[in-house]
Amino acid sequence: MLQHFFSPASVAVIGASNQPGKIGHDIVNNMKLSGFEGAIYPINPKATEVLGFKAYPSVTTIEGPVDLAVIVIPARAVLGVMEECAEKGIDSVIIITAGFKEAGPEGIEMEKELGEIARRAGIRVVGPNCLGIISTQTGLNASFAPVFPQRGSLALMSQSGALATAILDWSVQNGIGYSKFVSFGNGLDVGVIDLLRAWEDDPETRVIVAYMEGLRNGPEFMRVAREVSLKKPVIIVKSGNTQSGARAVSSHTGSLAGSGEAYSAAFKQCGVIRAHSVEELFDLAVAFAYQDLPRSRRVAILTNAGGPGIMATDAVETAGLQLATISPETVERLRTTLPPASNFHNPVDCLGDADAARYNFATDVVLSDKNVDSALAVLTPQTSTQPLETAQGLAKFAAQHRKPVLACFMGGGAMAGAIKLLGGQRVPNYAYPERAVKALSTMVAYREWREEPPDEIEPFPADADVVRRIFDEAREQGRVNLGEVEAREILRAYRIRCPKNEVAITADDAARIGDEIGYPVVMKIVSPDILHKSDIGGVRVGIRNRQEAMDTFELMMLRIRRYAPNADLRGIAVQEMIQTGREVILGSTRDPQFGPLVMFGLGGIYVEVLKDVSFRVAPFGRRHAQQMIDEIRSAPLLRGARGERPCDLDAIATTLLILSQLVTDFPEIVEMDINPLKVGEPGAGAMAVDARITITG
Ligand code: ADP
Ligand code: MG
């Protein structure tokens, strides 16, 4: 796929120039210097020759076939040249030129036309407004990047050209190698999804890294990213928040879900590894590129310093990795050579005066322990430390034992040579233990994700017709907000349990219903115009007898009429009171990129103040429903920590799954909250005591 972009036999550079400093010059010059062996055709009607290559007035005058065209002429001339490329039968074009979509209405129009020409002629386009493409394997530098990285196993795609030049420059300095590099700019045609597909089975590429700002097709991205992630790690930095539109947000879920949450959820669901900064992107990329995946969570820490050893130990525990138990045989072997004051158990401390021989001996012995599946080697520069020799030994034994080893050689000038040596030997080094542990735990998590069975979607029985009828009715009446009464009917159609409930029109009604349901009961105002009932005194809980029910009816009616004189009051619901259980919130909102997003959190201040919530893109299966519950910080409360009663977590998971099905079945649901869902003890189930739905008009 996209073969001609990465290994063309011939490249035309349209806008080639002899004048240093012009992009059209730099590109031809880069192609010349990078060792590209195919034909290079500079296009420039005013020149006969550019940088030693014969120049042509246009692509149509080239005799032989052209696999790839690179366009660097001013924007207004690009459309005409695209037509010529089409005529010449060129199927791959890189448009470096800026001044399109990013430059205002005229540019938007030109970019649209560009797209039409490309589609009609079957031309694939990278750009416009981009830095270009590099393929180290074929020596192709179809970019104006001032550096050419060494060959390696990372494939990088970037939506930002400027950031990409910085990354390439830094990579060259740090000896980080690439298989392919694409800056796709405005992404008129080729974008994240195409490049994932192109690199999925590329034997040169071990790790795919991406800097991206936005996506066009969320669901398609998730499908492709999942398939690719099962083959090789995909690490993405996503920056910028896309506008979710000017839609007024009326639900909790809507106000808590920025597009950042949708991306995080989507990435988790398709195995994409999210980096939160470019620094983290490379911390992770290098670990995946250089080392094999750890077989388990069991890690050994080697150190010549107490403090950093403890930092590493803390980081290992926080990250959910396991400190490997060093076997008695290994301890015995260590004792033969290490001084008696050493620590022979994890973290294995060879002490500050360890020279390379002692440290390397410990490395070899610890890595041969069958309880150890990976190692973190911490070294600080002390008087007897031999950084270079220690680095050599570390690299040697890491390769010999075929277990992933990450280094943390801490320091500046004293360590520079050793760190360089480690990089050359494909041992990633980190400035601090926390960063090394983060890389290692990400590798473990990725491996575990790959080995998980797929998250099957369970179907639940439901009367979709009931829901359709309610939505139609509301729309006929010109309403998009559905209050508790209608929302209850919808939840029931999807078999979510709700408390007994009946609407009273008179005080006598209220008493009769109260008697039937049995006290205590809850009374709530019913009005399509009132969405937050308790805000205006429209909810009373704990009504103990028929007299109280009657009084409450009169009082509430009076009060609401005063507070909301224009509201259409339909009566007061008398509802079974659910006396025990914890209040949680479940909700859904629609993300412009990914579609329905389901939210979970604890009720009350946990959601309002602490914003302690988790998200998934619907539809999802039970494993993700469980993860949503586990992910919130207050999850231990639900499991029964600190004297709390444990909750029916299965019932929460099932309700999340039903909600996922409901919002998938009905794309017209823009937002909804079940707030609260009252959850009983394990086995007792859950009840939706309030709900609200907003649909499209
Ligand atoms: P709103 O969110 O519109 O103000 P709710 O129906 O959610 O109104 O009621 C407010 C609060 O009253 C709920 O969060 C819950 O704590 C309590 N409540 C409401 N209905 C019941 C019920 N049936 N059983 C127990 N508590 C209830
Ligand atoms: Mg509520």
Side-chain angles (χ1 to χ4, degrees):
M1 260 183 88
L2 305 180
Q3 197 63 24
H4 283 165
F5 282 109
F6 301 113
S7 25
S10 50
V11 182
V13 180
I14 303 166
S17 165
N18 276 311
Q19 204 177 316
K22 287 202 143 191
I23 294 179
H25 168 274
D26 295 351
I27 290 192
V28 179
N29 199 37
N30 279 346
M31 297 271 277
K32 192 172 163 176
L33 298 179
S34 60
F36 178 63
E37 287 177 348
I40 297 173
Y41 303 118
I43 310 295
N44 182 336
K46 292 190 213 113
T48 49
E49 169 267 329
V50 172
L51 289 163
F53 300 103
K54 183 188 170 196
Y56 294 78
S58 76
V59 281
T60 47
T61 55
I62 299 168
E63 309 85 47
V66 175
D67 287 348
L68 174 66
V70 186
I71 300 181
V72 272
I73 52 174
R76 63 194 137 66
V78 171
L79 287 174
V81 157
M82 271 295 276
E83 297 283 13
E84 287 177 12
C85 289
E87 192 183 323
K88 176 69 186 163
I90 299 172
D91 65 4
S92 305
V93 171
I94 302 171
I95 304 174
I96 305 276
T97 310
F100 289 91
K101 191 173 78 179
E102 80 287 2
E106 209 181 318
I108 293 176
E109 195 47 44
M110 281 203 296
E111 187 159 329
K112 228 161 85 196
E113 281 179 51
L114 213 52
E116 274 155 28
I117 298 171
R119 252 186 309 279
R120 215 178 330 115
I123 301 176
R124 300 303 312 261
V125 176
V126 166
N129 185 25
C130 71
L131 188 68
I133 289 184
I134 288 173
S135 167
T136 54
Q137 188 189 0
T138 51
L140 175 80
N141 189 354
S143 84
F144 62 97
V147 293
F148 193 74
Q150 70 186 60
R151 207 161 155 178
S153 56
L154 298 183
L156 169 69
M157 62 176 103
S158 176
Q159 209 163 338
S160 155
L163 180 71
T165 39
I167 289 176
L168 287 178
D169 191 49
W170 174 87
S171 301
V172 168
Q173 194 190 13
N174 288 280
I176 292 174
Y178 289 85
S179 56
K180 315 227 159 35
F181 160 81
V182 175
S183 143
F184 57 84
N186 293 2
L188 163 68
D189 172 24
V190 173
V192 178
I193 297 172
D194 308 88
L195 292 167
L196 286 175
R197 276 280 183 243
W199 296 339
E200 175 176 17
D201 295 313
D202 175 22
E204 295 269 315
T205 299
R206 205 175 136 114
V207 182
I208 299 174
V209 290
Y211 167 81
M212 109 186 166
E213 286 161 3
L215 267 179
R216 271 182 306 234
N217 188 340
E220 170 78 354
F221 166 81
M222 286 180 74
R223 202 172 56 74
V224 173
R226 188 184 144 75
E227 280 174 32
V228 177
S229 293
L230 285 168
K231 296 183 182 167
K232 53 184 74 165
V234 176
I235 311 172
I236 300 183
V237 182
K238 156 77 180 73
S239 80
N241 279 328
T242 39
Q243 268 297 328
S244 57
R247 171 168 62 80
V249 174
S250 66
S251 69
H252 274 301
T253 311
S255 63
L256 287 165
S259 74
E261 279 71 23
Y263 276 96
S264 298
F267 285 6
K268 272 178 212 152
Q269 285 170 262
C270 56
V272 165
I273 298 156
R274 182 167 198 179
H276 295 90
S277 63
V278 174
E279 181 183 60
E280 193 181 46
L281 180 74
F282 283 92
D283 274 3
L284 301 177
V286 167
F288 280 101
Y290 290 175
Q291 298 283 306
D292 289 331
L293 296 176
R295 263 189 296 270
S296 81
R297 297 186 182 200
R298 299 178 307 176
V299 53
I301 298 168
L302 279 156
T303 182
N304 73 337
I310 294 169
M311 283 162 71
T313 308
D314 286 348
V316 160
E317 282 173 354
T318 319
L321 295 175
Q322 263 168 34
L323 277 187
T325 311
I326 307 297
S327 72
E329 301 81 58
T330 303
V331 173
E332 276 322 300
R333 282 181 66 197
L334 288 171
R335 275 191 203 284
T336 60
T337 307
L338 266 53
S342 307
N343 190 14
F344 302 102
H345 298 276
N346 217 350
V348 176
D349 188 347
C350 325
L351 303 183
D353 63 347
D355 57 6
R358 191 199 294 167
Y359 197 101
N360 293 342
F361 169 79
T363 305
D364 183 23
V365 171
V366 166
L367 282 177
S368 34
D369 192 319
K370 59 182 181 333
N371 291 343
V372 171
D373 283 319
S374 65
L376 188 64
V378 180
L379 194 75
T380 56
Q382 304 189 45
T383 42
S384 320
T385 311
Q386 298 171 294
L388 272 180
E389 294 79 353
T390 309
Q392 242 144 16
L394 190 65
K396 180 177 123 191
F397 291 121
Q400 216 170 72
H401 293 283
R402 308 181 124 266
K403 292 179 182 175
V405 172
L406 277 61
C408 180
F409 282 27
M410 301 169 74
M415 288 298 182
I419 290 169
K420 196 161 176 130
L421 190 147
L422 287 171
Q425 302 285 317
R426 303 175 69 79
V427 175
N429 184 72
Y430 299 87
Y432 298 100
E434 293 81 3
R435 282 168 64 182
V437 170
K438 170 82 188 162
L440 189 63
S441 63
T442 306
M443 291 171 94
V444 170
Y446 171 70
R447 189 199 173 104
E448 289 176 353
W449 175 81
R450 252 169 58 160
E451 287 168 357
E452 274 170 5
D455 193 31
E456 300 290 348
I457 312 281
E458 294 169 41
F460 291 88
D463 292 329
D465 288 341
V466 171
V467 180
R468 212 163 286 124
R469 182 178 53 72
I470 297 170
F471 286 167
D472 288 345
E473 255 171 43
R475 272 191 292 240
E476 271 163 33
Q477 296 167 12
R479 285 185 297 117
V480 293
N481 287 319
L482 279 59
E484 187 179 337
V485 174
E486 284 167 311
R488 281 168 56 88
E489 264 193 84
I490 288 166
L491 296 185
R492 288 187 118 128
Y494 271 69
R495 315 289 195 267
I496 292 175
R497 286 166 62 204
C498 301
K500 284 184 215 140
N501 181 85
E502 200 182 324
V503 180
I505 312 294
T506 63
D508 286 341
D509 262 0
R512 175 188 52 82
I513 301 166
D515 289 349
E516 272 168 30
I517 290 176
Y519 298 97
V521 293
V522 178
M523 290 176 68
K524 301 182 186 180
I525 194 73
V526 178
S527 163
D529 304 317
I530 299 171
L531 288 176
H532 299 272
K533 301 177 290 290
S534 44
D535 287 359
I536 56 161
V539 176
R540 253 200 75 193
V541 300
I543 292 155
R544 284 166 302 180
N545 52 49
R546 63 185 341 239
Q547 190 55 50
E548 267 187 45
M550 292 170 78
D551 293 349
T552 303
F553 187 94
E554 303 292 2
L555 213 71
M556 196 180 276
M557 275 298 191
L558 214 73
R559 192 126 120 237
I560 304 288
R561 277 210 188 91
R562 189 169 329 131
Y563 280 117
N566 300 321
D568 170 11
L569 304 185
R570 302 273 169 97
I572 291 177
V574 180
Q575 189 170 89
E576 175 190 2
M577 175 144 165
I578 310 304
Q579 300 190 64
T580 56
R582 238 190 197 280
E583 298 196 353
V584 299
I585 173 171
L586 277 62
S588 176
T589 181
R590 205 149 282 271
D591 179 80
Q593 264 73 39
F594 294 99
L597 196 61
V598 171
M599 182 191 85
F600 171 71
L602 281 198
I605 60 151
Y606 292 97
V607 48
E608 269 152 30
V609 182
L610 304 175
K611 306 208 182 321
D612 187 15
V613 290
S614 57
F615 292 90
R616 287 294 183 280
V617 177
F620 51 83
R622 193 163 288 269
R623 192 176 59 243
H624 279 289
Q626 279 157 350
Q627 284 177 9
M628 283 179 82
I629 301 170
D630 288 343
E631 259 170 38
I632 63 167
R633 291 189 301 278
S634 28
L637 295 179
L638 297 175
R639 281 191 230 104
R642 302 226 153 235
E644 298 280 341
R645 291 173 167 222
C647 283
D648 193 338
L649 300 182
D650 284 342
I652 300 178
T654 301
T655 314
L656 282 167
L657 293 175
I658 297 176
L659 188 62
S660 155
Q661 179 174 326
L662 172 64
V663 296
T664 307
D665 288 350
F666 290 94
E668 61 259 63
I669 299 177
V670 184
E671 274 177 18
M672 70 177 283
D673 280 340
I674 299 176
N675 184 24
L677 179 80
K678 278 207 128 185
V679 193
E681 294 184 17
M687 285 245 195
V689 305
D690 182 31
R692 171 160 71 243
I693 299 177
T694 304
I695 55 172
T696 48

XYZ file of all heavy atoms in Angstrom, residues 252 484 488 498-501 520-525 530-542 574-580 583 603-604 674-678 687-692, ligand 1:
385
model
N -25.074 16.110 32.962
C -23.781 15.968 33.626
C -22.769 15.373 32.677
O -21.654 15.835 32.553
C -23.927 15.019 34.815
C -24.365 15.710 36.047
N -23.646 16.723 36.614
C -25.446 15.534 36.823
C -24.269 17.142 37.698
N -25.378 16.439 37.845
N -38.137 12.441 33.605
C -38.089 11.152 34.280
C -39.183 10.196 33.824
O -38.936 9.002 33.630
C -38.174 11.378 35.803
C -37.953 10.107 36.587
C -38.021 10.333 38.096
O -37.807 11.468 38.540
O -38.302 9.360 38.815
N -38.113 6.793 32.149
C -38.378 5.524 32.852
C -38.935 4.470 31.912
O -38.541 3.305 31.946
C -39.426 5.740 33.958
C -38.930 6.353 35.228
C -40.117 6.770 36.074
N -41.021 5.648 36.326
C -40.892 4.813 37.345
N -39.928 4.990 38.218
N -41.711 3.812 37.497
N -36.622 0.060 37.519
C -36.954 1.373 38.060
C -37.900 1.160 39.237
O -38.629 0.169 39.272
C -37.677 2.222 37.015
S -36.722 2.487 35.520
N -37.926 2.074 40.209
C -38.849 1.897 41.342
C -40.302 2.023 40.887
O -40.591 2.659 39.875
C -38.475 3.042 42.289
C -37.673 4.001 41.487
C -37.092 3.270 40.339
N -41.214 1.422 41.672
C -42.651 1.575 41.385
C -42.978 3.055 41.404
O -42.438 3.818 42.214
C -43.477 0.874 42.466
C -43.492 -0.622 42.324
C -44.417 -1.222 43.397
C -43.863 -2.554 43.861
N -43.992 -2.759 45.308
N -43.924 3.435 40.547
C -44.140 4.864 40.353
C -45.502 5.091 39.714
O -45.907 4.350 38.828
C -43.037 5.364 39.410
C -43.101 6.837 39.112
O -42.578 7.616 39.886
N -43.711 7.224 38.013
N -42.052 4.137 53.369
C -41.996 5.517 52.885
C -42.000 5.596 51.357
O -41.561 4.659 50.695
C -40.674 6.022 53.447
C -39.821 4.804 53.546
C -40.750 3.672 53.859
N -42.442 6.741 50.833
C -42.377 6.976 49.394
C -41.638 8.292 49.121
O -41.344 9.053 50.041
C -43.784 7.059 48.758
C -44.495 5.727 48.827
C -44.610 8.170 49.399
N -41.372 8.502 47.842
C -40.735 9.742 47.390
C -41.748 10.435 46.488
O -42.499 9.774 45.776
C -39.464 9.414 46.568
C -38.811 10.693 46.044
C -38.477 8.624 47.415
N -41.832 11.767 46.554
C -42.720 12.478 45.627
C -41.916 13.471 44.797
O -41.039 14.163 45.302
C -43.843 13.167 46.413
C -44.808 12.116 46.986
S -46.099 12.800 48.028
C -47.081 13.723 46.871
N -42.223 13.485 43.494
C -41.443 14.325 42.564
C -42.366 15.020 41.585
O -43.292 14.414 41.057
C -40.495 13.446 41.739
C -39.515 12.633 42.512
C -38.632 11.865 41.528
C -37.719 10.927 42.278
N -36.863 10.165 41.368
N -42.057 16.260 41.304
C -42.851 17.031 40.353
C -42.701 16.435 38.946
O -41.622 15.968 38.576
C -42.426 18.529 40.365
C -43.451 19.395 39.638
C -41.044 18.724 39.759
C -44.725 19.584 40.421
N -39.322 21.038 33.584
C -38.424 21.050 34.753
C -37.491 19.848 34.679
O -37.918 18.707 34.810
C -39.243 21.026 36.064
C -40.126 22.282 36.136
C -38.315 20.944 37.276
C -41.119 22.260 37.274
N -36.207 20.133 34.432
C -35.270 19.026 34.261
C -34.507 18.720 35.549
O -34.133 17.587 35.803
C -34.282 19.344 33.140
C -34.903 19.291 31.738
C -33.890 19.702 30.692
C -35.454 17.904 31.431
N -34.271 19.744 36.349
C -33.556 19.515 37.604
C -34.546 19.721 38.731
O -34.727 20.823 39.220
C -32.363 20.453 37.723
C -31.381 20.244 36.620
N -30.360 19.327 36.695
C -31.289 20.797 35.396
C -29.677 19.332 35.561
N -30.225 20.218 34.759
N -35.208 18.651 39.099
C -36.375 18.751 39.975
C -36.036 19.260 41.370
O -36.704 20.155 41.895
C -37.066 17.373 40.062
C -37.523 16.848 38.714
C -38.135 15.464 38.806
C -37.142 14.353 39.128
N -36.195 14.034 38.026
N -34.975 18.720 41.962
C -34.732 19.100 43.359
C -34.228 20.544 43.488
O -34.369 21.149 44.543
C -33.804 18.110 44.064
O -32.727 17.785 43.255
N -33.667 21.095 42.403
C -33.212 22.488 42.442
C -34.329 23.438 42.855
O -34.075 24.488 43.451
C -32.704 22.941 41.067
C -31.363 22.325 40.734
O -30.849 21.576 41.589
O -30.840 22.583 39.638
N -35.559 23.115 42.496
C -36.648 24.038 42.847
C -37.627 23.377 43.812
O -38.826 23.690 43.828
C -37.383 24.563 41.592
C -37.909 23.388 40.752
C -36.492 25.431 40.743
C -39.000 23.848 39.795
N -37.116 22.464 44.617
C -37.963 21.843 45.630
C -38.975 20.860 45.061
O -40.031 20.645 45.644
N -38.638 20.256 43.936
C -39.564 19.336 43.299
C -39.363 17.870 43.666
O -39.908 16.996 42.993
N -38.567 17.612 44.701
C -38.381 16.223 45.152
C -38.488 16.180 46.668
O -37.861 16.991 47.357
C -36.988 15.667 44.753
C -36.786 14.262 45.312
C -36.806 15.668 43.243
N -39.313 15.268 47.205
C -39.278 15.027 48.652
C -39.179 13.548 48.916
O -39.966 12.755 48.409
C -40.515 15.619 49.334
C -40.161 16.878 50.140
C -41.194 17.198 51.179
N -41.118 16.291 52.317
C -42.063 16.222 53.228
N -43.152 16.970 53.124
N -41.931 15.415 54.251
N -38.179 13.189 49.706
C -37.995 11.770 50.016
C -38.510 11.515 51.429
O -38.724 12.447 52.207
C -36.497 11.344 49.923
C -35.960 11.570 48.529
C -35.655 12.093 50.935
N -38.751 10.224 51.734
C -39.079 9.825 53.107
C -40.462 10.241 53.572
O -40.634 10.625 54.741
N -45.624 9.699 42.638
C -45.401 9.061 43.941
C -44.599 7.795 43.642
O -44.982 6.988 42.797
C -46.729 8.715 44.631
C -46.470 8.063 45.990
C -47.583 9.963 44.773
N -43.475 7.671 44.308
C -42.508 6.652 43.907
C -42.011 5.844 45.093
O -41.833 6.378 46.194
C -41.324 7.381 43.252
C -40.323 6.500 42.576
C -39.339 7.345 41.770
O -38.331 7.766 42.292
N -39.646 7.589 40.517
N -41.828 4.577 44.828
C -41.253 3.680 45.833
C -39.904 4.254 46.267
O -39.129 4.716 45.437
C -41.057 2.312 45.177
C -40.363 1.271 45.999
C -40.006 0.023 45.162
O -40.286 0.023 43.938
O -39.453 -0.910 45.722
N -39.640 4.249 47.563
C -38.361 4.792 48.016
C -37.347 3.662 48.170
O -37.595 2.683 48.871
C -38.550 5.510 49.352
C -37.242 5.982 49.908
S -37.405 7.540 50.758
C -35.874 7.553 51.645
N -36.248 3.822 47.487
C -35.185 2.806 47.563
C -34.272 3.241 48.701
O -33.513 4.200 48.578
C -34.407 2.724 46.233
C -35.369 2.596 45.054
C -33.398 1.589 46.248
C -36.328 1.435 45.131
N -34.349 2.514 49.807
C -33.750 3.058 51.022
C -32.274 2.750 51.190
O -31.567 3.446 51.899
C -34.535 2.571 52.232
C -35.981 3.022 52.137
C -36.728 2.773 53.420
O -36.415 3.347 54.440
N -37.707 1.896 53.358
N -31.823 1.663 50.576
C -30.403 1.345 50.761
C -29.693 1.415 49.410
O -30.336 1.472 48.368
C -30.232 -0.082 51.319
O -30.894 -0.967 50.417
C -30.813 -0.200 52.703
N -25.319 5.609 45.465
C -25.757 6.320 44.273
C -24.599 6.478 43.300
O -23.554 7.021 43.647
C -26.308 7.695 44.666
C -27.517 7.582 45.567
C -28.331 8.864 45.673
O -27.893 9.904 45.139
O -29.411 8.804 46.289
N -22.101 9.076 42.426
C -23.039 10.199 42.416
C -22.541 11.368 43.263
O -21.431 11.348 43.803
N -23.374 12.393 43.346
C -23.134 13.514 44.255
C -21.846 14.259 43.989
O -21.489 14.518 42.850
N -28.474 8.656 33.815
C -29.241 7.953 34.844
C -28.592 8.436 36.129
O -27.453 8.068 36.430
C -29.113 6.421 34.723
C -29.649 5.953 33.376
C -29.852 5.730 35.873
C -29.486 4.459 33.127
N -29.262 9.302 36.838
C -28.628 9.963 37.984
C -29.641 10.224 39.087
O -30.409 11.155 39.013
C -27.992 11.274 37.525
C -27.246 11.948 38.655
O -26.825 11.292 39.604
N -27.094 13.253 38.564
N -29.651 9.402 40.093
C -28.718 8.298 40.316
C -29.279 6.932 39.915
O -30.477 6.768 39.772
C -28.556 8.331 41.835
C -29.898 8.792 42.323
C -30.458 9.691 41.271
N -28.311 5.979 39.766
C -28.659 4.563 39.785
C -28.340 4.145 41.215
O -27.253 4.423 41.710
C -27.779 3.794 38.795
C -28.010 2.284 38.708
C -29.223 1.974 37.842
C -26.791 1.569 38.098
N -29.324 3.527 41.894
C -29.040 3.082 43.268
C -28.640 1.623 43.232
O -29.377 0.780 42.719
C -30.268 3.296 44.151
C -30.371 4.734 44.643
C -31.119 4.807 45.958
C -30.308 5.587 46.969
N -30.934 5.577 48.291
N -31.227 -0.013 40.681
C -32.467 0.630 40.245
C -32.164 2.044 39.780
O -31.483 2.800 40.472
C -33.415 0.768 41.436
C -34.063 -0.506 41.835
S -35.813 -0.315 41.528
C -36.371 -1.725 42.490
N -32.755 2.419 38.641
C -32.616 3.789 38.147
C -33.702 4.627 38.808
O -34.872 4.467 38.506
C -32.776 3.809 36.636
N -33.329 5.515 39.745
C -34.363 6.299 40.416
C -34.601 7.641 39.725
O -35.578 8.313 40.019
C -34.108 6.500 41.928
C -33.919 5.170 42.631
C -32.949 7.417 42.183
N -33.729 8.014 38.802
C -33.973 9.232 38.022
C -33.239 9.100 36.696
O -32.169 8.490 36.638
C -33.460 10.464 38.785
C -33.736 11.762 38.025
O -34.749 11.813 37.301
O -32.951 12.716 38.173
N -33.824 9.641 35.653
C -33.171 9.602 34.347
C -33.671 10.749 33.504
O -34.730 11.320 33.768
C -33.457 8.280 33.644
N -32.879 11.078 32.492
C -33.210 12.206 31.626
C -32.553 11.941 30.276
O -31.435 11.429 30.213
C -32.621 13.459 32.269
C -32.665 14.672 31.445
C -32.528 15.912 32.305
N -31.204 16.085 32.853
C -30.939 16.078 34.149
N -31.883 15.883 35.036
N -29.706 16.258 34.566
P -33.296 15.621 40.244
O -32.018 15.010 39.852
O -34.130 16.009 39.071
O -33.148 16.748 41.190
P -33.922 13.016 41.465
O -35.094 12.224 41.036
O -32.619 12.532 41.055
O -34.181 14.530 41.022
O -33.971 13.139 43.050
C -32.988 13.808 43.802
C -32.360 12.873 44.801
O -33.353 12.308 45.630
C -31.677 11.668 44.178
O -30.377 11.965 43.816
C -31.769 10.648 45.292
O -30.754 10.862 46.237
C -33.073 10.950 45.929
N -34.140 10.079 45.365
C -34.910 10.346 44.320
N -35.756 9.307 44.079
C -35.512 8.383 44.985
C -36.067 7.094 45.281
N -37.049 6.578 44.548
N -35.566 6.396 46.305
C -34.577 6.904 47.043
N -33.999 8.122 46.838
C -34.467 8.856 45.822
